[in-house]
Amino acid sequence: MNVLEQFRHIRTFVFDVDGVLTDGTVQLLPNGEQSRKMNIRDGYALQLAVKKGYRIAVISGGRSESVITRLNGLGITDIFTGVNNKQEKLEDYALEHDLLWEEVLFMGDDIPDYRAMQLCGLPVCPGDATPEIKSISKYISPVAGGQGCVRDVIEKVLKLNDHWTMDEGVPSR
């Protein structure tokens, strides 16, 4: 089965945060808080996927209330932060929701994502992922983390399933 055919079968998306939904940089603010930047086009694709009935989960080792708030605003409720073992969390999540691995896409960018990505039918990564992650990815987005790589993979799945339309009336991003 070619990679585009594998995209057609995806029903669940799993994303890392830093280096995937963000560009991987953290701005340190004077009050000790950390600031991240997310791509607005990724946001559009995420909320459209939710609206079309796809399951979206976010699994991150980091902790950020502002990330949770942003993702909740896009309709994403399965958000797991402060995760030390992403493989274990993903296995629990898959069992809880009776997921089929061949219907799961995981986008990661660095070593903490490696084992969890190996579980999924479609492991993918941003164009600037580490070599180890690129080596196990079935698709490497030409787009870097935080620059629209999430939109890239969601758009492929939705278009292949005729769920990408121009008249959705999706709320503003």
Side-chain angles (χ1 to χ4, degrees), residues 99-143:
L99 302 181
L100 300 174
W101 289 119
E102 61 269 17
E103 295 179 352
V104 178
L105 175 153
F106 190 114
M107 181 174 256
D109 72 305
D110 206 352
I111 302 303
D113 305 314
Y114 189 89
R115 298 260 181 247
M117 288 176 69
Q118 289 184 309
L119 296 173
C120 300
L122 189 53
V124 302
C125 68
D128 60 345
T130 64
E132 295 87 353
I133 295 302
K134 286 181 176 181
S135 75
I136 63 166
S137 294
K138 292 183 179 177
Y139 173 76
I140 300 170
S141 175
V143 185

Side-chain angles (χ1 to χ4, degrees), residues 16 27 35-36 46 56 65 67 69 84-85 92 117 147:
D16 177 34
Q27 183 176 10
S35 171
R36 291 166 172 84
L46 286 162
I56 296 180
E65 285 304 315
V67 168
T69 300
N84 292 322
N85 186 330
D92 291 345
M117 288 176 69
Q147 303 299 314

Side-chain angles (χ1 to χ4, degrees), residues 41-164:
R41 291 183 185 148
D42 285 347
Y44 175 80
L46 286 162
Q47 68 181 359
L48 183 58
V50 168
K51 183 175 182 179
K52 292 295 186 175
Y54 290 84
R55 182 177 300 280
I56 296 180
V58 174
I59 303 176
S60 176
R63 298 176 197 270
S64 170
E65 285 304 315
S66 59
V67 168
I68 293 169
T69 300
R70 167 72 175 147
L71 295 173
N72 283 161
L74 297 172
I76 300 167
T77 56
D78 296 338
I79 305 165
F80 308 99
T81 61
V83 175
N84 292 322
N85 186 330
K86 292 182 183 185
Q87 175 185 350
E88 186 177 282
K89 175 53 78 178
L90 183 57
E91 287 172 331
D92 291 345
Y93 183 78
L95 187 60
E96 178 183 345
H97 296 284
D98 200 25
L99 302 181
L100 300 174
W101 289 119
E102 61 269 17
E103 295 179 352
V104 178
L105 175 153
F106 190 114
M107 181 174 256
D109 72 305
D110 206 352
I111 302 303
D113 305 314
Y114 189 89
R115 298 260 181 247
M117 288 176 69
Q118 289 184 309
L119 296 173
C120 300
L122 189 53
V124 302
C125 68
D128 60 345
T130 64
E132 295 87 353
I133 295 302
K134 286 181 176 181
S135 75
I136 63 166
S137 294
K138 292 183 179 177
Y139 173 76
I140 300 170
S141 175
V143 185
Q147 303 299 314
C149 63
V150 169
R151 164 79 174 248
D152 177 38
V153 296
I154 291 176
E155 188 173 333
K156 279 180 178 31
V157 171
L158 271 59
K159 282 183 174 178
L160 286 166
N161 289 289
D162 296 322
H163 293 149
W164 189 266

